[in-house]
Amino acid sequence: MSETNHIWRLRKRPIGDITDDVLSFEEESIPEPADGECLFRLNYLSLDPTNRIWMSDMDQYMPPVAIDDPMRGVVCGTVIKSKNTAFKEGDIVSGIGIWADYQVASPEAVNLLGDIGSIPVIDAFGTLALVGPTAYFGLLDITDPQAGESVVVSAAAGAVGSIVGQIAKIKGCHVVGIAGTDEKCQWITEELDFDQAINYKTENVPEALQRACPDGIDIYFDNVGGDILDACLKLMNLKGRISTCGLISQYNAIEEVPGPKNYPMILMQRLKVQGFIILDYVDRYPEAIAAVSKWMAEGKIKVRQDVTDGLENALETVKKLYTGANNGKLMIRVKDV
Ligand SMILES: NC(=O)c1ccc[n+]([C@@H]2O[C@H](COP(=O)([O-])OP(=O)(O)OC[C@H]3O[C@@H](n4cnc5c(N)ncnc54)[C@H](OP(=O)(O)O)[C@@H]3O)[C@@H](O)[C@H]2O)c1
């Protein structure tokens, strides 16, 4: 094989926003798979808010990426050499890999993408590899939504949030989404049938929530933490449920982040507040994939992907997540399949 590999390595831990010097883009040789491994070529790299967590050494759910190691990422690729009977040349795999054109993997790290029916690979990977199951289990398993209940979701036009709101609609809930631009608010109400949307950058969130949920909030799906969590806590109904999926408003924080002022509402309203990491649900992935892909095929779940071409653009592109510049699932495309 004559081609060179391209690979992003972590060079320093970010302080605050991700800066250009935290990763370096290197030319290296293409690795050889050991016995039990396969070599695959990257098709798509998922860019996720958790990339910022993995770059840092904050308390987290996996070991942080070590300095000088390849940057970790959720990947989709085509097998080009295999020393494991679980994979053969041409198979499409997805799982946890690295930001590199060519990489080796074992069956513990990647799985076959499997039967995706008529869904294009890019949509199947973008939606079913991570964010669809996150929305599915984070909403249904943790908050058990019932028809008629009011559900609020933050980062509502994002990859996870947009699916959460659509599943809540399928379950017959009154759904309010919070997002950071008028275009995003329009997309979730007009295209995705959310009942209402709040632009948290231009509206007074506590007042807008009061108007949107005059009978209180039964379920809050939290993607952001911070002031929006506080505003939702204030309006939670008795026996309300909060699914703590992400805290993106504080991933880049330099100062210590204050706790929610309305924490006492957890006691007063007997709330259930539960965090989760999607890796907890790996054994039940087929259930989420079957349900979400069926809803996609029926047109009940619509997705939008925000795709940038070229692995060399990964560092610049990942920054979009923390300013809201992404419109849908953020991905790098190296080679369509
Ligand atoms: N628990 C798990 O296993 C798991 C798995 C996947 C993702 N997550 C979490 O789910 C959340 C959404 O992830 P995603 O992949 O779907 O990303 P995304 O929503 O597609 O993109 C992130 C969005 O967050 C919003 N945002 C950024 N900074 C914000 C701030 N300070 N305040 C409020 N909103 C802010 C932006 O939208 P606006 O324009 O609306 O501001 C941005 O577009 C993240 O917190 C992520 O960590 C958790």
Side-chain angles (χ1 to χ4, degrees):
M1 222 173 297
S2 59
E3 278 184 83
T4 310
N5 200 7
H6 292 99
I7 182 163
W8 283 99
R9 289 186 179 273
L10 182 69
R11 296 302 182 192
K12 60 185 268 203
R13 304 217 177 273
I15 299 170
D17 293 342
I18 295 173
T19 46
D20 291 342
D21 54 353
V22 299
L23 300 180
S24 67
F25 193 51
E26 309 289 348
E27 281 197 355
E28 297 183 6
S29 54
I30 295 172
E32 268 298 313
D35 284 343
E37 291 180 335
C38 68
L39 171 69
F40 67 89
R41 193 192 161 142
L42 191 64
N43 295 113
Y44 308 108
L45 169 68
S46 173
L47 295 176
D48 299 291
T50 200
N51 294 148
R52 173 66 180 78
I53 298 176
W54 291 340
M55 287 176 191
S56 79
D57 56 4
M58 66 172 79
D59 291 335
Q60 53 192 281
Y61 58 92
M62 284 174 90
V65 175
I67 296 295
D68 296 332
D69 271 9
M71 182 57 204
R72 183 190 295 144
V74 178
V75 297
C76 176
T78 305
V79 174
I80 54 174
K81 200 186 257 191
S82 179
K83 290 190 177 169
N84 189 309
T85 51
F87 306 113
K88 62 179 188 315
E89 217 174 293
D91 279 348
I92 311 289
V93 292
S94 81
I96 296 191
I98 57 172
W99 293 20
D101 278 337
Y102 293 93
Q103 44 195 293
V104 292
S106 63
E108 290 80 55
V110 297
N111 290 302
L112 294 176
L113 196 58
D115 180 14
I116 54 172
S118 58
I119 302 173
V121 172
I122 190 169
D123 289 336
F125 172 63
T127 304
L128 303 177
L130 175 70
V131 297
T134 301
Y136 179 90
F137 292 118
L139 182 71
L140 299 182
D141 221 54
I142 290 181
T143 72
D144 189 23
Q146 303 297 310
E149 288 192 310
S150 62
V151 175
V152 174
V153 53
S154 50
V160 172
S162 60
I163 298 175
V164 168
Q166 292 176 88
I167 298 176
K169 285 303 297 178
I170 290 168
K171 296 293 170 187
C173 299
H174 175 80
V175 180
V176 177
I178 303 177
T181 68
D182 289 343
E183 187 280 330
K184 289 182 180 183
C185 288
Q186 206 173 343
W187 181 62
I188 60 176
T189 50
E190 292 181 8
E191 296 286 321
L192 307 188
D193 292 332
F194 282 42
D195 295 286
Q196 295 191 46
I198 297 168
N199 181 338
Y200 74 94
K201 289 187 178 163
T202 58
E203 296 181 64
N204 176 312
V205 175
E207 287 174 16
L209 273 173
Q210 181 82 60
R211 281 194 301 277
C213 305
D215 299 324
I217 300 170
D218 297 303
I219 293 169
Y220 173 48
F221 191 100
D222 191 8
N223 280 318
V224 305
D227 292 343
I228 293 176
L229 166 63
D230 237 329
C232 290
L233 272 171
K234 183 76 179 163
L235 294 178
M236 291 303 294
N237 287 333
L238 196 65
K239 299 270 175 88
R241 288 88 74 202
I242 297 180
S243 181
T244 304
C245 174
L247 302 166
I248 196 166
S249 74
Q250 54 202 63
Y251 294 162
N252 294 2
I254 298 174
E255 305 291 331
E256 210 165 78
V257 178
K261 286 193 294 288
N262 293 317
Y263 186 85
M265 291 295 282
I266 297 172
L267 172 65
M268 305 310 167
Q269 297 292 66
R270 293 75 144 181
L271 305 180
K272 171 186 167 186
V273 181
Q274 188 178 329
F276 72 100
I277 295 294
I278 192 55
L279 298 173
D280 306 341
Y281 287 96
V282 163
D283 293 348
R284 288 178 58 196
Y285 249 55
E287 173 190 336
I289 290 173
V292 175
S293 54
K294 178 168 173 285
W295 286 325
M296 283 168 80
E298 292 169 351
K300 292 179 180 162
I301 286 188
K302 296 177 189 154
V303 295
R304 68 180 180 184
Q305 322 286 11
D306 185 330
V307 181
T308 297
D309 286 302
L311 185 62
E312 66 278 13
N313 295 315
L315 175 57
E316 203 46 43
T317 306
V318 75
K319 296 175 190 170
K320 287 182 168 187
L321 291 166
Y322 314 95
T323 62
N326 65 309
N327 283 302
K329 177 73 203 89
L330 195 62
M331 273 187 279
I332 292 290
R333 172 170 43 207
V334 177
K335 194 175 188 309
D336 262 331
V337 62

